[in-house]
Amino acid sequence: MDLYLIRHAPTHRKSMVGWSDVDADFGDTDRFGALNAFLPTPADLVSSDLRRTVGTADRLAKGRRRLEHCSGLREINFGDWELKTFAEIQETHAEEIRAFYETPGTMKAPNGECWNAFYDRVHSGFDGLLQQTQGPLIAAVHFGVVIAAIQRALDVSASEAFSHRIDNLSLTHICITDGEWTVVRINDTDPSTNS
């Protein structure tokens, strides 16, 4: 089973965007064209239920079977930190925001979600989807969802997984064989040149 993760189109926001349903910029037609040319057809296609991933998936749908949106693949819930900048959060929660990123696990934003709960939610979503499809599966998702998949595939800590850069509209390819996840490529911004 091949799992192709596409991080959604950019929102151009410089703040913490988790469950906020903000718009994205879908204007990079060249990148969408390259992804459409590279990604397999036929394939199943899914996204979270937030506009930035739904719109990304819409642009990858030709020749692919669209699955129902999966809310389990939403970005982490930043709670009271939603739509605030890192600097704004540091003013009131300096130690907490540092721990949130440096040692992700049980630390969470007020009224938000910790990494461990997020990881479990995301992989519950993936496991359910993988039972519905024969593959390949293309998922238009969020930064954190890609990082959670990398963490599982590399069998590393969350902080190690966070060391990977994940650009908007990049491709991360994971192969799943007998329940074992392995990484094929991470953050590929031009997959046609890296076949």
Side-chain angles (χ1 to χ4, degrees):
M1 162 79 72
D2 288 299
L3 174 61
Y4 297 91
L5 304 173
I6 309 298
R7 184 181 177 197
H8 61 76
T11 66
H12 303 302
R13 290 179 178 254
K14 305 299 181 194
S15 58
M16 308 280 274
V17 182
W19 284 21
S20 298
D21 199 9
V22 301
D23 287 321
D25 177 357
F26 302 111
D28 193 343
T29 55
D30 289 344
R31 181 69 68 83
F32 279 112
L35 285 169
N36 270 308
F38 178 81
L39 290 168
T41 304
D44 288 338
L45 175 66
V46 70
S47 70
S48 83
D49 57 347
L50 299 176
R51 284 183 293 187
R52 55 196 186 271
T53 60
V54 171
T56 299
D58 286 346
R59 286 151 180 84
L60 301 173
K62 188 174 181 182
R64 299 178 177 109
R65 182 175 74 119
R66 191 69 179 272
L67 303 180
E68 185 176 337
H69 305 325
C70 179
S71 61
L73 300 184
R74 278 188 176 198
E75 182 61 279
I76 196 166
N77 183 350
F78 291 116
D80 295 352
W81 295 349
E82 278 284 327
L83 303 182
K84 292 183 179 176
T85 65
F86 191 87
E88 288 171 330
I89 297 164
Q90 274 192 310
E91 290 176 10
T92 56
H93 296 90
E95 288 183 26
E96 292 90 340
I97 188 69
R98 191 167 45 253
F100 184 81
Y101 281 109
E102 291 177 1
T103 55
T106 58
M107 171 55 77
K108 64 180 181 177
N111 300 307
E113 184 177 31
C114 73
W115 180 263
N116 292 347
F118 166 74
Y119 180 93
D120 290 344
R121 169 172 60 79
V122 165
H123 285 295
S124 176
F126 275 132
D127 291 344
L129 286 165
L130 293 170
Q131 289 176 6
Q132 295 177 37
T133 183
Q134 299 300 309
L137 177 64
I138 301 165
V141 292
H142 307 270
F143 170 85
V145 175
V146 178
I147 293 296
I150 290 169
Q151 181 183 358
R152 181 174 181 175
L154 295 179
D155 192 22
V156 297
S157 68
S159 57
E160 289 173 288
F162 265 98
S163 70
H164 292 278
R165 178 182 174 127
I166 306 297
D167 293 310
N168 291 105
L169 296 178
S170 67
L171 166 69
T172 295
H173 178 188
I174 291 172
C175 183
I176 305 167
T177 306
D178 297 327
E180 294 296 316
W181 290 41
T182 55
V183 168
V184 178
R185 64 181 78 203
I186 295 174
N187 194 47
D188 194 338
T189 57
D190 191 4
S192 63
T193 63
N194 298 311
S195 300

